[in-house]
Amino acid sequence: MAASRGARERTLDRVYINDAVAKMKDRDKDIRWMICDDLLTVVADHEPGSLTMTKELEEKLMGGLRALYSDRAAEVAQKAALLSASLVPHLLPSSVSTLLQSIGDIVAKEAEADKREIAVLGLREIPENLPDEGVMTLLEVVLPQASAAIDGKSPTDPKGFAWICDAVGVTTVVLTRYGGQVSEEQLERLQVSLTGCCTRLPSRYEARRPVLECLATLAACVSRSQFDVLVRRHIESLADPSSDGFRYSLQIVSLICRTAGHRLGRFVPELVPRFLKALATRGADMDTDLREFCLQGLAEVVRARAGNVDAHMEEIIASGSEFAAFDPNYTGMSLSMSGDAVEGGEE
């Protein structure tokens, strides 16, 4: 309690900020980390907007913090990113815009991987109620920078793949919070970029996961016509479990069921039977992971009460019950279904 009262007594006046910025430049990383932590305590003890600083002091403080984004000690950079995010409700709109611009620059430039991760962390922690100027910076500066990184890096190169994951992380955060304000043209370009990137990645879900989840987030933001084109193409690919695009389409449709299940009503008559058909498929074309995607997709469609899903409930329950006793992690376990055995163990 004493420490908390002490924090409340401190204000971000000229003396305090000058001292803080000087400590941010100290050679001792512990000093740099502690001043950020101390500032976090001060900010946490104030309601949004209750910390007032002159524009000059605000620019000085944020300049010191942005410099720490590239600190050689990762823990200091991380603490600076968290502090920057916590200060956003107290900053002038111009300072918020400058902060977001700095995050975009870090993602776009030839920065080390751990520094880009710090930038993504800082963006994720920033509150949603940004001023209009900050939102505009996100949509017109940061998002295009992230999209350019997705297009320009090779996913087969480890460094390029890490870069793409960071850019996709930024894109997902922006779409989740402000997707409704992104233009149709920009959403369409993003869809092309993400789809192209995904097809260049290995078919393993873990390799594709960040891009797939970003695509699924985008599906919740696009117009009805864009949504129909995206979903229709992938539903058609679900007709044949042996086709080359089946795995990719099943993964993305399952995730779209989670992010935009309420928009799938008109596709239920085609989608649910194809999920059920895929679940019933035997042999090498359907492994345990793919069946899990089918079940997850069905669960989300049911949860969203999409379209006439009630008409399929009996089949969905029967199929789900059949798999309820199957544990693929138990070595040697098998479940006889329609005369065929499903082998345990993940492929």
Side-chain angles (χ1 to χ4, degrees):
M1 290 298 292
S4 180
R5 284 195 299 271
R8 290 190 179 92
E9 291 171 2
R10 286 173 291 187
T11 58
L12 301 186
D13 57 19
R14 182 175 299 275
V15 174
Y16 184 84
I17 290 178
N18 286 338
D19 180 62
V21 173
K23 289 179 178 177
M24 290 177 187
K25 300 176 181 178
D26 197 280
R27 296 181 61 183
D28 188 338
K29 69 175 183 180
D30 291 336
I31 298 294
R32 300 195 300 275
W33 185 92
M34 284 189 290
I35 188 56
C36 290
D37 188 63
D38 186 67
L39 274 164
L40 267 172
T41 303
V42 173
V43 174
D45 281 336
H46 288 78
E47 294 295 324
S50 63
L51 274 176
T52 56
M53 294 175 279
T54 65
K55 184 176 182 180
E56 176 194 357
L57 290 178
E58 187 172 290
E59 289 176 350
K60 186 171 187 177
L61 175 61
M62 296 311 296
L65 281 174
R66 290 196 301 273
L68 289 182
Y69 267 42
S70 300
D71 196 278
R72 57 186 178 274
E75 62 270 28
V76 175
Q78 181 176 3
K79 186 65 75 170
L82 294 174
L83 174 56
S84 298
S86 71
L87 277 167
V88 164
H90 305 279
L91 299 177
L92 295 170
S94 58
S95 296
V96 175
S97 183
T98 302
L99 171 62
L100 295 172
Q101 174 71 68
S102 299
I103 291 175
D105 289 344
I106 291 172
V107 174
K109 290 180 179 178
E110 296 286 336
E112 297 175 15
D114 59 341
K115 300 304 182 290
R116 293 198 309 275
E117 290 171 6
I118 295 301
V120 176
L121 169 66
L123 181 59
R124 285 176 178 156
E125 293 298 319
I126 285 176
E128 295 186 25
N129 53 337
L130 291 175
D132 291 343
E133 188 175 339
V135 176
M136 187 175 299
T137 301
L138 276 179
L139 302 183
E140 297 182 0
V141 180
V142 178
L143 195 58
Q145 287 174 321
S147 181
I150 295 170
D151 283 335
K153 301 302 171 183
S154 171
T156 57
D157 172 62
K159 290 184 178 179
F161 177 69
W163 201 304
I164 287 172
C165 287
D166 295 330
V168 166
V170 167
T171 303
T172 302
V173 172
V174 175
L175 290 176
T176 299
R177 296 183 176 183
Y178 304 104
Q181 300 180 51
V182 182
S183 68
E184 283 193 29
E185 181 182 356
Q186 197 167 11
L187 288 171
E188 190 169 354
R189 286 199 303 268
L190 269 173
Q191 182 178 323
V192 172
S193 297
L194 292 167
T195 301
C197 177
C198 210
T199 56
R200 300 196 305 271
L201 286 166
S203 61
R204 292 180 296 103
Y205 175 62
E206 286 307 314
R208 289 180 169 180
R209 180 175 180 173
V211 183
L212 287 170
E213 291 185 341
C214 190
L215 260 174
T217 303
L218 181 142
C221 308
V222 297
S223 66
R224 174 169 175 151
S225 59
Q226 288 177 317
F227 182 82
D228 287 355
V229 170
L230 173 65
V231 173
R232 173 72 62 190
R233 181 173 70 249
H234 290 297
I235 288 181
E236 289 174 355
S237 297
L238 296 181
D240 181 10
S242 63
S243 65
D244 292 338
F246 176 80
R247 178 180 292 268
Y248 166 52
S249 292
L250 180 58
Q251 290 169 344
I252 185 61
V253 170
S254 176
L255 290 171
I256 290 175
C257 288
R258 186 187 69 192
T259 60
H262 60 286
R263 305 185 70 180
L264 287 168
R266 55 196 174 279
F267 296 103
V268 165
E270 298 171 79
L271 178 59
V272 172
R274 291 187 180 183
F275 273 148
L276 293 171
K277 178 183 176 182
L279 277 171
T281 300
R282 305 291 181 265
D285 292 329
M286 281 298 293
D287 58 33
T288 300
D289 290 339
L290 293 184
R291 290 193 176 94
E292 185 176 352
F293 278 113
C294 290
L295 291 168
Q296 289 174 347
L298 287 170
E300 295 298 339
V301 170
V302 171
R303 183 176 289 111
R305 310 297 293 180
N308 64 336
V309 69
D310 288 349
H312 302 274
M313 287 303 294
E314 188 174 340
E315 291 178 276
I316 293 172
I317 292 172
S319 182
S321 299
E322 198 169 15
F323 280 94
F326 173 53
D327 183 359
N329 299 306
Y330 184 77
T331 304
M333 188 174 190
S334 63
L335 177 64
S336 177
M337 296 185 299
S338 303
D340 295 318
V342 178
E343 296 297 327
E346 295 182 355
E347 297 184 359

